[in-house]
Amino acid sequence: MSKSFQKKLEKRQSRFKSKNTRNDSKNKRQSLVFSLSKKKKDDILRKKRNIIENKQNVEKMNQKVFEILNKLPQIVIQISDPNCQNPHLFVQELRVMVSSNQNPPIDDLIKSKCVPLLLEFLQYENCEELQVSFFFFVSPSESVKYRDEILSMGAFPILLDIITTVQSKTILKNAIWAVCNCIRRKPHPPLSMIQDAFPIFKQLIRHKDLEIQTKGFYALSYLSNGDFNNNQMIIDLEIIPIIINYLQSNITKIRIPCIRVLGNIAGGNNNQTQTIINEGALPILKRFLGNSESKIRKETLWVLSNICAGTNSQIQTLLDYYFIEFLIQIVKHDIFSVKKECCYAITNLIESANIQQIDILISKNIVPPLINLLETKDNEIIIMVLQALYKLCALSQQVIQENEEIIEKNNCVESIEKIGGKVILEKLSGSIHYLISRKADQILINFFLQEKSNIN
């Protein structure tokens, strides 16, 4: 590179600061997972509530909803009458309203003051048809505001009571579904409101019915989704050993929600992450990295990416279990979507590692697969890899400074040059993507130009 080009790069570099805190990688990873899963959950909910997507039927349904809205005051009068013979017929009309489209008129229903009446119906015994109809109304998960309004009227304890006392599996499954819709949106309801649900779901995950078991595990995955206090409740109730035990079984249906609970808790504070390790999750996660289903491998890598954003002691445990060898093979040979998930784990590992651990990673040839990832067309991966390479080079340089008489060359820089990585970095320095060009420039200026000047 010419001196004029070097000055230009240094000028551009001086306009930026780095760097993130250790928890930023973990938090960013969680945010991405939450946003990716949100659309899928919404699609499932629309199917569950029989929302009509056919454009030819939309106008007919809208007209029907309009007619029901016009007679809503009369419906409220009817269902509030103790002598009403067929209240479920009126509740079914309300169900039509909330199942009409993606933006049902929940606000009109709440203002009509029919919710307290419907909550009473929920407690009727031997009235399965009425209860099933109401569950579709008590789960307004499109809006946290509406959810909180309904919960403030006492819906949650009533649903939990149904779960613990009802005999009908249909009612039980619908009640669990309604509770899941109440807890899966963020921010979660206050812990004081939902804490009674934790021991109930602990019982559900031991239910004889596999579908109910699975719903219980999904409920726990929602409860643990980004809330440290909820995570601690799960830990204190000793639910983690139950999950570990199920993951060791051959029951495949419950694997995804079980792994997600582990991932959510591993994404908590460092003590919660350590609990996952102490309970024996690592051997199971290692086995799942070789699972034939790519979805299982991706979910497992997500758990590992959260552990990789932990303490030096936790990083060392992963190294002692030889996870890095598995991660290198995955990032070399797996399908792209799994490689990307693996990239999060490796870059988090590098971001959290100390000097000695970085030296181990370089000795295990972590650099070549990272350089190969720079040739993908995914900007997010390229940025993560460049940041990881910068830290590898920086800590390797620190080793040189601390051992000048013994070590003369930067092992990471030497490894990059050996496989033609410098050429790739120079190409990326001219990228139109600002962050990519900046991060490539940082590596070239701080390490490769410096190496050249040292030689001269």
Side-chain angles (χ1 to χ4, degrees):
M1 291 184 185
S2 65
K3 290 184 178 180
S4 61
F5 182 61
Q6 178 182 350
K7 289 181 180 179
K8 179 182 176 183
L9 295 182
E10 289 173 345
K11 184 178 179 181
R12 287 172 59 187
Q13 183 188 24
S14 66
R15 299 206 304 265
F16 298 93
K17 305 190 232 187
S18 57
K19 98 177 200 59
N20 299 328
T21 64
R22 173 173 288 183
N23 282 332
D24 284 343
S25 296
K26 187 179 286 189
N27 295 336
K28 181 180 178 182
R29 186 73 198 99
Q30 282 187 305
S31 272
L32 181 66
V33 171
F34 298 157
S35 62
L36 290 175
S37 63
K38 179 178 178 294
K39 185 179 183 298
K40 185 175 180 180
K41 289 177 181 176
D42 290 342
D43 291 341
I44 293 171
L45 180 64
R46 286 199 296 274
K47 291 177 182 178
K48 179 81 174 177
R49 297 176 69 179
N50 298 318
I51 291 176
I52 295 178
E53 300 288 355
N54 192 323
K55 292 182 179 180
Q56 295 178 350
N57 295 326
V58 168
E59 289 187 8
K60 290 182 181 180
M61 179 55 70
N62 286 342
Q63 180 62 35
K64 191 170 184 178
V65 171
F66 181 74
E67 292 172 1
I68 297 173
L69 273 173
N70 282 337
K71 62 179 183 178
L72 186 57
Q74 287 75 27
I75 293 176
V76 174
I77 292 172
Q78 288 289 336
I79 62 177
S80 61
D81 185 352
N83 299 317
C84 182
Q85 296 297 316
N86 296 302
H88 67 276
L89 296 177
F90 297 105
V91 177
Q92 284 176 347
E93 287 194 279
L94 298 179
R95 174 179 169 178
V96 169
M97 292 178 62
V98 298
S99 302
S100 57
N101 52 54
Q102 290 180 261
N103 298 294
I106 302 291
D107 195 47
D108 295 284
L109 292 170
I110 291 177
K111 288 178 180 178
S112 72
K113 299 183 178 180
C114 67
V115 177
L117 296 168
L118 295 172
L119 287 172
E120 287 184 29
F121 293 157
L122 261 189
Q123 301 173 77
Y124 283 6
E125 295 182 3
N126 302 319
C127 195
E128 183 171 317
E129 186 176 6
L130 181 59
Q131 289 175 319
V132 171
S133 295
F134 179 67
F135 287 130
F136 286 84
F137 174 70
V138 80
S139 307
S141 58
E142 291 84 353
S143 168
V144 171
K145 172 190 171 184
Y146 295 147
R147 177 203 70 185
D148 290 346
E149 284 194 56
I150 290 179
L151 292 182
S152 69
M153 298 176 193
F156 204 74
I158 293 172
L159 290 170
L160 292 182
D161 184 63
I162 291 172
I163 290 173
T164 56
T165 60
V166 72
Q167 298 297 316
S168 166
K169 284 187 179 180
T170 302
I171 292 294
L172 176 57
K173 291 173 183 177
N174 279 281
I176 297 170
W177 175 74
V179 168
C180 286
N181 280 328
C182 291
I183 61 178
R184 73 184 183 90
R185 292 284 179 171
K186 298 178 70 177
H188 291 127
L191 182 59
S192 59
M193 179 181 289
I194 63 173
Q195 61 184 358
D196 290 339
F198 289 85
I200 291 173
F201 284 120
K202 181 179 179 180
Q203 295 302 315
L204 287 177
I205 62 176
R206 295 172 172 175
H207 201 280
K208 294 180 180 179
D209 186 289
L210 180 57
E211 186 178 352
I212 292 172
Q213 253 189 357
T214 305
K215 288 179 183 293
F217 281 119
Y218 271 108
L220 289 172
S221 73
Y222 300 143
L223 285 169
S224 59
N225 194 342
D227 193 308
F228 291 4
N229 291 328
N230 289 359
N231 289 354
Q232 197 58 48
M233 283 284 291
I234 292 173
I235 292 170
D236 293 343
L237 283 169
E238 299 182 343
I239 293 174
I240 301 302
I242 300 173
I243 290 175
I244 297 295
N245 187 53
Y246 273 109
L247 285 175
Q248 290 175 320
S249 72
N250 294 322
I251 306 173
T252 57
K253 192 173 182 180
I254 51 87
R255 282 180 181 170
I256 292 295
C258 284
I259 294 172
R260 285 179 183 172
V261 175
L262 295 183
N264 287 335
I265 294 177
N269 60 44
N270 288 332
N271 289 334
Q272 292 171 349
T273 305
Q274 188 62 41
T275 299
I276 299 299
I277 296 173
N278 293 345
E279 293 293 348
L282 293 185
I284 297 170
L285 295 174
K286 192 173 181 180
R287 177 163 56 87
F288 283 156
L289 288 178
N291 192 277
S292 59
E293 293 184 42
S294 61
K295 189 172 184 180
I296 294 291
R297 299 198 300 278
K298 287 170 64 178
E299 294 284 349
T300 302
L301 286 164
W302 171 63
V303 182
L304 288 172
S305 71
N306 283 336
I307 298 175
C308 287
T311 64
N312 291 148
S313 173
Q314 290 162 356
I315 299 300
Q316 190 59 50
T317 303
L318 291 175
L319 294 176
D320 292 343
Y321 271 85
Y322 302 101
F323 271 96
I324 189 61
E325 288 84 353
F326 278 78
L327 297 180
I328 288 173
Q329 290 305 309
I330 289 171
V331 86
K332 279 182 177 180
H333 304 298
D334 217 316
I335 61 174
F336 180 76
S337 61
V338 179
K339 281 185 179 182
K340 184 169 184 177
E341 205 70 45
C342 188
C343 184
Y344 281 106
I346 291 175
T347 54
N348 281 357
L349 184 69
I350 293 169
E351 187 66 28
S352 303
N354 59 30
I355 293 180
Q356 293 75 22
Q357 291 163 346
I358 289 293
D359 194 45
I360 292 172
L361 293 176
I362 294 174
S363 70
K364 291 183 180 293
N365 293 319
I366 192 66
V367 174
L370 290 177
I371 293 296
N372 289 338
L373 286 173
L374 291 178
E375 298 190 277
T376 68
K377 295 183 180 181
D378 189 306
N379 289 338
E380 187 177 11
I381 285 183
I382 294 172
I383 291 169
M384 285 193 298
V385 170
L386 287 172
Q387 185 169 322
L389 288 172
Y390 184 90
K391 179 164 185 181
L392 288 172
C393 291
L395 290 188
S396 293
Q397 191 67 30
Q398 188 174 333
V399 171
I400 295 175
Q401 293 169 356
E402 293 175 357
N403 303 272
E404 290 183 357
E405 296 180 358
I406 303 173
I407 303 173
E408 297 181 355
K409 291 185 177 181
N410 186 315
N411 289 336
C412 183
V413 171
E414 190 175 24
S415 180
I416 291 173
E417 283 195 295
K418 187 176 180 180
I419 59 175
K422 183 180 177 183
V423 176
I424 297 173
L425 289 170
E426 288 174 343
K427 181 180 178 181
L428 292 175
S429 72
S431 170
I432 60 173
H433 193 291
Y434 204 44
L435 275 177
I436 290 176
S437 63
R438 175 175 73 91
K439 289 183 180 297
D441 291 346
Q442 286 177 329
I443 296 172
L444 291 168
I445 292 171
N446 286 286
F447 304 111
F448 286 89
L449 292 178
Q450 187 180 48
E451 286 280 314
K452 186 175 180 180
S453 64
N454 289 341
I455 293 172
N456 294 333

